[in-house]
Each structure stands twice: as structure tokens, then as C-alpha cells.
């Protein structure tokens, strides 16, 4: 990618400041600097421009010269020539972090001043951004910038197990990370879909476990999940030799990025156990996903693997996974049960904790730290372990409150394998819904933490799993521009964090991404309708938003399709009672996208008491007891706080109408998304009662959506209540797959 940057930036060599004044300068850096002051004039890169550097930053200056095609490095002694770039030592005053920098752009020189190599690299990336942001890349506006990061850990995770990405592409991936000041590459190298790192002591890991017999992960997952031999004509996969891995580590380090390897244990290890079945509880291939923790050979294997891993990766952390281990095999395994008795462990949770502690002790003895997903909290956390919180923020809060360092990557804000727009318009993904604005809204330090506990939040990370991401174009589509939003979350001071300003600056970065041929997600023309409901006053305040910048939005309130002559949205407005709001973006009097519609129901059950005969899911409580009758409709994701989850059980609720009421109709919607195990119920039945004891069944409606339908699907169950008189209305939805049910608003007239 550096060569591409070089070619682009040399296109306009020799152009004058006259061209700059005609094209306007651009200071729309992302992430936003702590302080930026535009000054008069512009600096022009010419064919005579040179790069000067203090000895401390010679490597950084060399990298910059390579990226821009400028003259070789010369000594920093003496007066630099005109139109040159100077890397120097900063005054400590004003730089709150050692990774900070000062960038001073004058008509004659550009000065990148820093205290450390990391700071010089960050300043260099800002200068590279500025060049790529300009209409004429060789002419940049004069400015004074002081900048430093909020968090020391600014991570990007990539899963290469489900789908393999080449060494050359990993370098491009790192270049793009660095451009936006992300400094940690979390490399998920092993999982059930493939082992991706050469381990010399165990060659079968890459001879067999790195290859599968189906190109599509989905086809493989839904098939026999068998592995193939390297060299087989139909084998799909690949791996990194130790030499290639070292090359990537060095490449990243040169750009200020630490590579953290992840070697999964004790679960997600089907690929290992297929070729070394003696390490499983069954002793047979293709039967277990978890290592046998009662077998000392398991720990000998893992320690031998980690010795080679640590020899390749100098990172202070080694990630051991620790997530989603199915403990059923341990419960039935004589060796695991013997281990529980010998170590005086309470149960299989503590057995997993024993394994994590044992591996941590090994890593600490080799001067490394253990990093794991938040499941490593189960059964007790290892003494010096760092937790990566992905199942929401609860794990991070618990770990930080106990004095452990944490890295935040909650799925609802940081999982870039989620849909970023209406799933019906997007390539297939695993589920979820994470638009750009929600990424930008994330705050990595939970408000529940005390100031002392908050110090343990090291930063946050973008996480991308690749089950449904088979190639690099698709990968970039999922990551960009969402990574730009997270880069500002982890770098910039919250004092200057503002969505509208970020959105304005983002418009300039589409040019940058285009110049680097990044296949980014294009902003949608869809409109999001935001209701603010006042149940007592029977009114709703409506506002609209869209990913388009400064759009023209027109709307109707009677369910008709908006036209170029419909009401123009200028500010939030009130609606009283029931209405159907429909809105769309218009451009040149045309509607380039689909209209959005929201039914506002001022219905009888609003604000009424809901009795839960079976509890809702602790993981997806939404708005708890008020959820089903608060007036708000769920969006495209079950994680939006309006879809209420019921895990592994039926939904069975009773709504108390306060008094006997004449009931005309009832409707309730459910969603299906089979990837994460979300299904529409087998049936929904409605019963009514006067005393909450004796119920009479009104009707049952069976589901007609097959469980094999994997795309995001919604079904509205509508009941004619035939003017029945009742006070209590019971709604029972049958869970047919023992997965999740997600219910939306219950609407009663």
C-alpha cells in the first residue's frame, strides 16, 4: 500500500500554492486531534523536498520517505532546506502522553515533533492523512496541531481461521490500521475452522488442520466439518510459516503496531483434536471441541505450542481465548472428574479456571501476560490475567472492579461482522445490527466504575469474525468506515466528541479511502425514525436521521409514500395519538433509497403492568418490565434495547389492563435470525381472564416460517379478540428450538 500512496502523492509534484488556494485546504483529520489551529498559507511538497531527522526518529523518517517517495534522509544538523520535513524532539509541555506529537506546518517547512518513536509515528500518520485528504495531494494547509491518545490500547481483531487472508494482505490491513492510529493487531490464528500458524513440533496442525474440504465456511459448517490434506486438489485454507509470521510482526512493529497472537483453548479446538484426538476426552477425532483438562498431555502440548508462539511474537500479551467452552464432555470424562477431585475444585467452571490459571503461571514464568475473553472469569479469574469483555460490558466491569486490566469490545458496539444496514440490502452476515453512528456513540469506560477501577480500562477493540467474510473486498466493506468511528472513540478526548462534526469530517475521508482503493461500505439513503414517546400525554416527538450528510428528508403522517412535494423535515415535531410516519431521502427530486415507515400506536396497553410467568433473559432484558408495552418498536437488531429476549424457554406473560376492558385486537412481532440461534415461536396463543386465575383461550396462531430460513425475518402474529371483555390478557409463545425468542411491542386495541 505504501507504493500506492507514493504514486498518488507524486501525481501533483511541483504544483504551486495557487492551486491550493483554488482547491481549498482540508484539515479533517480522523481521529480528531486534541488541538488544531489553522494558520495562513500552504506547504508544497516538491521534487526537491527532503526529510531531516534527529537520530532518535531516523527509522520513522525513513518510513515516511519511503511512503512519499521523497529524497533520502539527511542529517538534522544545520538549517533544513526549504520545502522539507523535519522530525525533531518536542517540548514536553503540552503533550500529555508519550505517544503524543506536535505537527507544525508552515509555508517553508513541516515539523513533526515528538518525545518517543510512537509519537513520531502518530505525527507521521497525521501528515500522510493530510496529504491524502487534499484535492491536490502535494499541497497541504498550514496548521499547528497538538495531539495525544486517550487510551494506550487501540485494537483491531481479525479472525483468519474461518477464512484465510494472505501475508501480503495482512500488511495492507496493518497499513490501514496505522493510518488511523490503531496500535494493536489481535490476530485470531486458531479455531475450529482452521489452524493458521506453523508449529514445527506439531506439523500435522498445518498439514491437516489448516485445510478443509469446502471453500465456503457455511457449507463446511453445515456439512461434516472435516479437514483435508495439504496438497489435496479440493483443499481450502492456508497457514503462515513462522518466517512469514515474523515478517508480519516486524512490519507491524515498524509502524508502531503490536501483534497479539491468539491460540484458542480450551474450547474452539476441533481442528487440533481431529489430528491429535488423544488430547480430547473421547480419544476420537471429530467428537470433541474442548481439550481434555484431566490429561497432563494437554498441558504439555499447549506449553510446547506457546513456546514456539512466544519465540515468534514478542508482544507482552498472549491471548488464550477461553470463550464458549462446552463443558459437557468434562462432566462425563473420568480424567476430568479425577482432576476436579484432586484439585478440590467445585465444578467444571472451576476446572476451566484451573486450566486458565495453569496456563497463566506458565506464561508469567516466560515474562508474558495472559489475555482472554470474559469467560475466563467463570470459576475465578487467574491472578494477573487481563480480560477482553465481549458479552456486553459486565465482564469488563467485574474484572476492573476486582483490580484486573480490561479491554472493552462489547458485541453491541465493536463487532464489525454485524450488519451495518438493513440486512435485506446487505451481504449475509452472522447477525446483529451495528451502524456507524452506534459505533461512534460507544464509551469504553462504563459509568458504573469508580475512578480507581476505571484506570484498569486499557482501551477498546474492533472485533471481526469471518464466517461470512470470504475475501478481502468483503472484509474491507465490513470494517470501513466503522473503524474510523472507533479510532476516534479510543484516541480523542470526549470533550471534543460530537457525531455531527465527525460525520462532516468523514465526508473528506471517502476521497482518501477511494484513493487507497478501499472497498468501504457506502452510506445508506435509509432514514431512521426516532420516536420519543410520552405515554401520559399521548404524544410523540419525532426526529429523523440518515447516513447521508445534510440530506433532504420529506415525510408523511398518513402512511402514504412521500414525494418531492411532501413536508420537508427541518426539526423534531410532535404527533398526538396514532399515526403512520413515512419518510425518505430526496436528491434532485428523486428518492434514491427506500422509504422508512413507523407505526405509532397509542394503544390500550401502553404503560400497563406486565406479569412475567416465565422470566425474560438476563442477557437481553431490554427495558425490563416496561419493554413490551412502552410504545417503542424494535429495530433490525435484537440488541437494540427494545426486543426482549427469552432464552431456552417459552415467552409467557400476562398484561393487567387495570379493569375489565372491551378488547378488539392484539398483535405481537417476533424475529428470526438462525445464525445466533434466534427463532420465531412455533405458535402464539392468547388467553383472557377476569381474575388472573381462570383463563379462557381465545385463539392460537401457528408459525409458518420454516426454521431453515436463515435470513433476518419478522412475523407479526395478529389476533381478532372479537370485543371480548377481560382484565387480564395472557400471551404464550412456544419456543421450538430451545434457542432465543425475541418479542417486540404487544399492541392492544
Amino acid at each position: 500500500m505504501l507504493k500506492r500512496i507514493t504514486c498518488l502523492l507524486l501525481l501533483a509534484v511541483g504544483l504551486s500554492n495557487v492551486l491550493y488556494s483554488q482547491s481549498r485546504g482540508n484539515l479533517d483529520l480522523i481521529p480528531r486531534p486534541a488541538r488544531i489551529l489553522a494558520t495562513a498559507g500552504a506547504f508544497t511538497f516538491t521534487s526537491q523536498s527532503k526529510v531531516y531527522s534527529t537520530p532518535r526518529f531516523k527509522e520513522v523518517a525513513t518510513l515516511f520517505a519511503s511512503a512519499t517517495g521523497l529524497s533520502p534522509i539527511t542529517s538534522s544538523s544545520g538549517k533544513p532546506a526549504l520545502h522539507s520535513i523535519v522530525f525533531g524532539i518536542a517540548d514536553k509541555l503540552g503533550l500529555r502522553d508519550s505517544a503524543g506529537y506536535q505537527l507544525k506546518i508552515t509555508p517553508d517547512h513541516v515539523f513533526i515533533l515528538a518525545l518517543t518513536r510512537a509519537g513520531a509515528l502518530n505525527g507521521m500518520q497525521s501528515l500522510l492523512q493530510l496529504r491524502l485528504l487534499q484535492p491536490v495531494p502535494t499541497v497541504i494547509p498550514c496548521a499547528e496541531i497538538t495531539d495525544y491518545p486517550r487510551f494506550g490500547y487501540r485494537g483491531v481483531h481479525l479472525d483468519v481461521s474461518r477464512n484465510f487472508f494472505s501475508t501480503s494482505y495482512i500488511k495492507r490491513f496493518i497499513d490501514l490500521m496505522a493510518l488511523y492510529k490503531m496500535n494493536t493487531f489481535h490476530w485470531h490464528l486458531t479455531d475450529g475452522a482452521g489452524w493458521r500458524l506453523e508449529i514445527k513440533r506439531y506439523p500435522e496442525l498445518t498439514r491437516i488442520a489448516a485445510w478443509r474440504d469446502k471453500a465456503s465456511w457455511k457449507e463446511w459448517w453445515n456439512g461434516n466439518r472435516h479437514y483435508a490434506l495439504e496438497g489435496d486438489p479440493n483443499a481450502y485454507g492456508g497457514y503462515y510459516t513462522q518466517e512469514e509470521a515474523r515478517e508480519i510482526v516486524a512490519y507491524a512493529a515498524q509502524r508502531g503496531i503490536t501483534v497479539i497472537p491468539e491460540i484458542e483453548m480450551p474450547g474452539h479446538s476441533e481442528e487440533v483434536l481431529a489430528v491429535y484426538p488423544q488430547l480430547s476426552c473421547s480419544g476420537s477425532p471429530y467428537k470433541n471441541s474442548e481439550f481434555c483438562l484431566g490429561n497432563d498431555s494437554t498441558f504439555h502440548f499447549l506449553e510446547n505450542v506457546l513456546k514456539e508462539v512466544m519465540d515468534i511474537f514478542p508482544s507482552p500479551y498472549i491471548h488464550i481465548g477461553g470463550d464458549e467452552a462446552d463443558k459437557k464432555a468434562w462432566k462425563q470424562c473420568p480424567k476430568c472428574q479425577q482432576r476436579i477431585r484432586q484439585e478440590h475444585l467445585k465444578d467444571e467452571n472451576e476446572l476451566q479456571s484451573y486450566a486458565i490459571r495453569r496456563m497463566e503461571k506458565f506464561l508469567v514464568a516466560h515474562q508474558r501476560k495472559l489475555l482472554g475473553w470474559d469467560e475466563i472469569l467463570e470459576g475465578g479469574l487467574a491472578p494477573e490475567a487481563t480480560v477482553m469483555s465481549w458479552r456486553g460490558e459486565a465482564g469488563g466491569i467485574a474484572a476492573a472492579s476486582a483490580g484486573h486490566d480490561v479491554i472493552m469490545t462489547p458485541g453491541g458496539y465493536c463487532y464489525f461482522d454485524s450488519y451495518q444496514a438493513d440486512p435485506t440490502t446487505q451481504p449475509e452476515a452472522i447477525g446483529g445490527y451495528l451502524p456507524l453512528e452506534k459505533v461512534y456513540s460507544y464509551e469504553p469506560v462504563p459509568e458504573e466504575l469508580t475512578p480507581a477501577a476505571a484506570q484498569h480500562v486499557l482501551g477498546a477493540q474492533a472485533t471481526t469474525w469471518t464466517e461470512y467474510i470470504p475475501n478481502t473486498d468483503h472484509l474491507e466493506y465490513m470494517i470501513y468506515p466503522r473503524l474510523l468511528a472507533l479510532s476516534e472513540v479510543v484516541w480523542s478526548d470526549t470533550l471534543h466528541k460530537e457525531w455531527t462534526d465527525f460525520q462532516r469530517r468523514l465526508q473528506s475521508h471517502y476521497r482518501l479511502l477511494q484513493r487507497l482503493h478501499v472497498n468501504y461500505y457506502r452510506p445508506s439513503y435509509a432514514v431512521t425514525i426516532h420516536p420519543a414517546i410520552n405515554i401520559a400525554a399521548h404524544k410523540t416527538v419525532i426526529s429523523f436521521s440518515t447516513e447521508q450528510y445534510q440530506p433532504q428528508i420529506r415525510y408523511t403522517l398518513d402512511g402514504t409514500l412521500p414525494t418531492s412535494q411532501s413536508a420537508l423535515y427541518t426539526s423534531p415535531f410532535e404527533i398526538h395519538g396514532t399515526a403512520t410516519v413515512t419518510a425518505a431521502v430526496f436528491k434532485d427530486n428523486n428518492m434514491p433509497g427506500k422509504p422508512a415507515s413507523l407505526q405509532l400506536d397509542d394503544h390500550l396497553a401502553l404503560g400497563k403492568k406486565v406479569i412475567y410467568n416465565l422470566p425474560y433473559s438476563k442477557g437481553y432484558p431490554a427495558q425490563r418490565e416496561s419493554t413490551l408495552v412502552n410504545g417503542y418498536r424494535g429495530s433490525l437488531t435484537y440488541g437494540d434495547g427494545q426486543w426482549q429476549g427469552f432464552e431456552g424457554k417459552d415467552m409467557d406473560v400476562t398484561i393487567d389492563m387495570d379493569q375489565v376492558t372491551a378488547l378488539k385486537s392484539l398483535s405481537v412481532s417476533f424475529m428470526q435470525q438462525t445464525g445466533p440461534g434466534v427463532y420465531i415461536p412455533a405458535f402464539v396463543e392468547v388467553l383472557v381472564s377476569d381474575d388472573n386465575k381462570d383463563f379462557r383461550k381465545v385463539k392460537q396462531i401457528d408459525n409458518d416460517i420454516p426454521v431453515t430460513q436463515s435470513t433476518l425475518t419478522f412475523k407479526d402474529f395478529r389476533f381478532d379478540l372479537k370485543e371480548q371483555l377481560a382484565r387480564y390478557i395472557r400471551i404464550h409463545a412456544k419456543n421450538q428450538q430451545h434457542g432465543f425468542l425475541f418479542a417486540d411491542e404487544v399492541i392492544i386495541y
Side-chain angles (χ1 to χ4, degrees):
M1 191 179 84
L2 287 177
K3 289 182 179 179
R4 185 175 293 122
I5 293 175
T6 301
C7 293
L8 286 167
L9 297 178
L10 288 176
L11 286 176
V13 169
L15 291 178
S16 68
N17 286 352
V18 174
L19 282 177
Y20 164 76
S21 64
Q22 293 174 346
S23 60
R24 298 175 58 199
N26 188 310
L27 293 169
D28 291 341
L29 290 169
I30 294 177
R32 189 187 190 282
R35 178 180 177 273
I36 183 166
L37 175 66
T39 55
F43 174 88
T44 302
F45 290 86
T46 73
S47 58
Q48 303 303 312
S49 294
K50 298 183 182 298
V51 181
Y52 295 79
S53 178
T54 181
R56 185 185 300 182
F57 303 138
K58 185 177 179 181
E59 289 183 5
V60 180
T62 301
L63 186 65
F64 178 78
S66 173
T68 55
L70 296 181
S71 300
I73 309 300
T74 59
S75 170
S76 61
S77 60
K79 186 177 180 180
L82 287 175
H83 303 294
S84 294
I85 299 86
V86 181
F87 286 82
I89 307 298
D91 186 338
K92 291 183 180 180
L93 190 63
L95 290 183
R96 299 184 184 178
D97 189 280
S98 61
Y101 66 92
Q102 294 171 332
L103 183 57
K104 297 183 179 181
I105 306 168
T106 72
D108 296 334
H109 301 97
V110 175
F111 298 92
I112 298 176
L113 307 174
L115 299 173
T116 64
R117 182 175 178 274
L121 282 164
N122 288 325
M124 179 194 81
Q125 296 296 352
S126 287
L127 184 55
L128 288 175
Q129 261 199 41
L130 284 175
R131 290 176 59 125
L132 289 166
L133 288 171
Q134 309 312 314
V136 179
T138 54
V139 184
I140 62 174
C142 290
E144 294 182 3
I145 298 170
T146 300
D147 203 10
Y148 41 82
R150 180 185 177 197
F151 292 103
Y153 187 104
R154 305 182 298 279
V156 183
H157 159 285
L158 178 62
D159 162 30
V160 296
S161 174
R162 274 77 174 194
N163 279 296
F164 178 76
F165 299 93
S166 70
T167 298
S168 60
Y169 183 76
I170 296 296
K171 291 180 179 179
R172 171 177 165 85
F173 190 87
I174 287 167
D175 279 334
L176 289 169
M177 280 179 56
L179 191 62
Y180 288 98
K181 300 184 178 70
M182 305 302 279
N183 69 350
T184 306
F185 176 42
H186 174 179
W187 204 4
H188 188 83
L189 288 162
T190 74
D191 212 305
W195 183 283
R196 304 297 180 207
L197 180 66
E198 177 190 23
I199 301 296
K200 296 185 184 297
R201 184 159 181 165
Y202 301 105
E204 302 290 270
L205 290 173
T206 46
R207 193 175 75 86
I208 301 175
W211 309 90
R212 62 178 181 245
D213 57 5
K214 299 288 190 299
S216 160
W217 173 87
K218 186 176 180 180
E219 187 180 354
W220 174 82
W221 183 258
N222 292 329
N224 60 23
R225 302 186 192 180
H226 279 195
Y227 304 94
L229 281 171
E230 182 178 14
D232 187 308
N234 295 105
Y236 170 86
Y239 62 91
Y240 307 95
T241 66
Q242 292 195 2
E243 184 178 343
E244 287 172 328
R246 287 191 174 92
E247 182 183 331
I248 287 169
V249 168
Y251 188 89
Q254 191 179 23
R255 289 149 182 78
I257 292 174
T258 299
V259 182
I260 296 178
E262 180 177 354
I263 306 297
E264 272 278 7
M265 62 183 84
H268 284 286
S269 299
E270 296 95 323
E271 83 287 19
V272 178
L273 303 178
V275 295
Y276 297 110
Q278 66 272 23
L279 302 178
S280 70
C281 291
S282 68
S284 301
Y286 300 111
K287 285 192 176 180
N288 299 121
S289 301
E290 287 71 35
F291 285 104
C292 176
L293 300 184
N295 187 348
D296 281 333
S297 296
T298 290
F299 295 97
H300 296 154
F301 168 84
L302 292 172
E303 289 173 3
N304 289 334
V305 166
L306 290 181
K307 285 176 184 176
E308 294 193 33
V309 169
M310 289 186 289
D311 189 55
I312 300 166
F313 297 91
S315 58
Y317 287 109
I318 302 295
H319 202 301
I320 55 84
D323 61 310
E324 298 182 325
D326 186 343
K327 303 173 177 66
K328 291 180 182 177
W330 300 341
K331 292 180 179 179
Q332 300 167 1
C333 173
K335 290 182 179 179
C336 289
Q337 292 303 307
Q338 177 64 16
R339 178 80 73 189
I340 288 174
R341 290 189 293 272
Q342 282 182 343
E343 300 294 335
H344 306 291
L345 306 174
K346 181 180 178 181
D347 53 20
E348 288 72 25
N349 284 333
E350 288 195 3
L351 178 63
Q352 174 166 305
S353 179
Y354 160 83
I356 300 299
R357 289 171 186 265
R358 184 163 170 173
M359 296 315 300
E360 186 200 39
K361 186 176 180 181
F362 171 78
L363 290 172
V364 169
H366 289 80
Q367 293 76 52
R368 304 301 181 93
K369 298 178 182 179
L370 182 145
L371 179 58
W373 303 106
D374 56 54
E375 283 94 334
I376 66 173
L377 287 161
E378 296 170 3
L381 188 57
E384 299 179 46
T386 297
V387 171
M388 192 166 272
S389 189
W390 73 279
R391 296 179 300 176
E393 295 184 321
I397 292 169
S401 299
H404 291 270
D405 287 344
V406 299
I407 295 157
M408 306 301 285
T409 181
Y413 292 93
C414 298
Y415 268 41
F416 289 2
D417 47 321
S418 299
Y419 288 106
Q420 51 198 321
D422 181 346
T424 62
T425 68
Q426 298 298 298
E428 186 178 9
I430 195 168
Y433 174 59
L434 180 58
L436 183 70
E437 186 173 2
K438 187 174 181 182
V439 177
Y440 191 78
S441 73
Y442 183 52
E443 169 48 51
V445 180
E447 60 183 16
E448 295 93 326
L449 293 180
T450 65
Q455 297 300 312
H456 288 288
V457 178
L458 304 181
Q461 172 176 287
T463 295
T464 306
W465 304 101
T466 63
E467 287 94 335
Y468 298 92
I469 304 176
N471 55 56
T472 58
D473 276 356
H474 194 168
L475 179 64
E476 291 181 357
Y477 181 85
M478 300 301 283
I479 291 179
Y480 294 94
R482 289 191 284 193
L483 186 65
L484 278 65
L486 193 68
S487 78
E488 192 150 306
V489 168
V490 292
W491 177 279
S492 302
D493 193 307
T494 54
L495 183 66
H496 299 117
K497 186 179 177 185
E498 184 185 36
W499 165 249
T500 54
D501 179 61
F502 172 80
Q503 192 181 33
R504 178 190 62 78
R505 284 178 285 120
L506 178 62
Q507 307 314 303
S508 299
H509 284 257
Y510 291 128
R511 181 207 304 272
L512 183 157
L513 295 171
Q514 289 165 11
R515 282 177 163 169
L516 297 181
H517 303 294
V518 176
N519 185 41
Y520 64 89
Y521 160 83
R522 270 62 179 176
S524 169
Y525 285 98
V527 174
T528 301
I529 304 173
H530 304 279
I533 298 171
N534 185 326
I535 293 176
H538 299 278
K539 71 177 182 180
T540 303
V541 175
I542 293 291
S543 60
F544 301 126
S545 68
T546 173
E547 293 177 346
Q548 295 297 312
Y549 184 61
Q550 296 181 337
Q552 181 187 107
I553 300 175
R554 295 188 178 274
Y555 65 94
T556 63
L557 301 179
D558 59 2
T560 59
L561 194 67
T563 70
S564 59
Q565 304 304 310
S566 297
L568 177 65
Y569 175 71
T570 56
S571 62
F573 57 91
E574 284 188 2
I575 292 176
H576 292 264
T578 294
T580 302
V581 183
T582 308
V585 171
F586 280 80
K587 189 174 184 179
D588 301 326
N589 292 324
N590 294 312
M591 187 193 300
K594 295 180 179 179
S597 187
L598 177 66
Q599 178 66 37
L600 296 174
D601 287 289
D602 188 23
H603 62 90
L604 298 178
L606 282 175
K608 294 296 191 281
K609 180 181 179 181
V610 179
I611 302 164
Y612 286 82
N613 304 311
L614 292 173
Y616 50 74
S617 166
K618 292 181 180 179
Y620 295 95
Q623 305 305 308
R624 302 186 186 280
E625 282 72 13
S626 69
T627 304
L628 300 176
V629 290
N630 65 3
Y632 290 91
R633 298 291 187 98
S635 66
L636 296 172
T637 174
Y638 52 79
D640 66 357
Q642 295 302 336
W643 288 96
Q644 190 163 58
F646 298 84
E647 183 177 3
K649 60 175 69 72
D650 296 355
M651 168 185 161
D652 190 350
V653 300
T654 302
I655 299 174
D656 182 355
M657 301 297 289
D658 292 333
Q659 59 187 1
V660 173
T661 305
L663 305 171
K664 295 181 179 179
S665 65
L666 180 151
S667 65
V668 57
S669 292
F670 292 85
M671 73 158 57
Q672 180 160 300
Q673 195 161 37
T674 60
V678 178
Y679 295 91
I680 291 171
F683 64 81
V684 178
E685 61 178 347
V686 172
L687 306 92
V688 296
S689 170
D690 299 325
D691 58 5
N692 199 26
K693 294 179 181 178
D694 297 319
F695 281 88
R696 53 191 182 274
K697 185 172 179 177
V698 177
K699 189 177 182 181
Q700 174 178 311
I701 298 177
D702 294 332
N703 175 33
D704 56 1
I705 305 295
V707 296
T708 54
Q709 185 161 317
S710 60
T711 56
L712 179 64
T713 305
F714 302 92
K715 181 174 177 61
D716 192 13
F717 291 81
R718 295 178 174 271
F719 295 82
D720 181 358
L721 301 185
K722 303 181 183 300
E723 299 286 347
Q724 293 210 37
L725 296 174
R727 172 175 173 175
Y728 297 94
I729 307 169
R730 185 173 177 181
I731 304 144
H732 172 225
K734 181 64 177 177
N735 191 323
Q736 61 176 327
Q737 293 292 315
H738 304 292
F740 279 97
L741 296 180
F742 277 97
D744 200 359
E745 180 84 356
V746 176
I747 300 166
I748 299 174
Y749 281 105

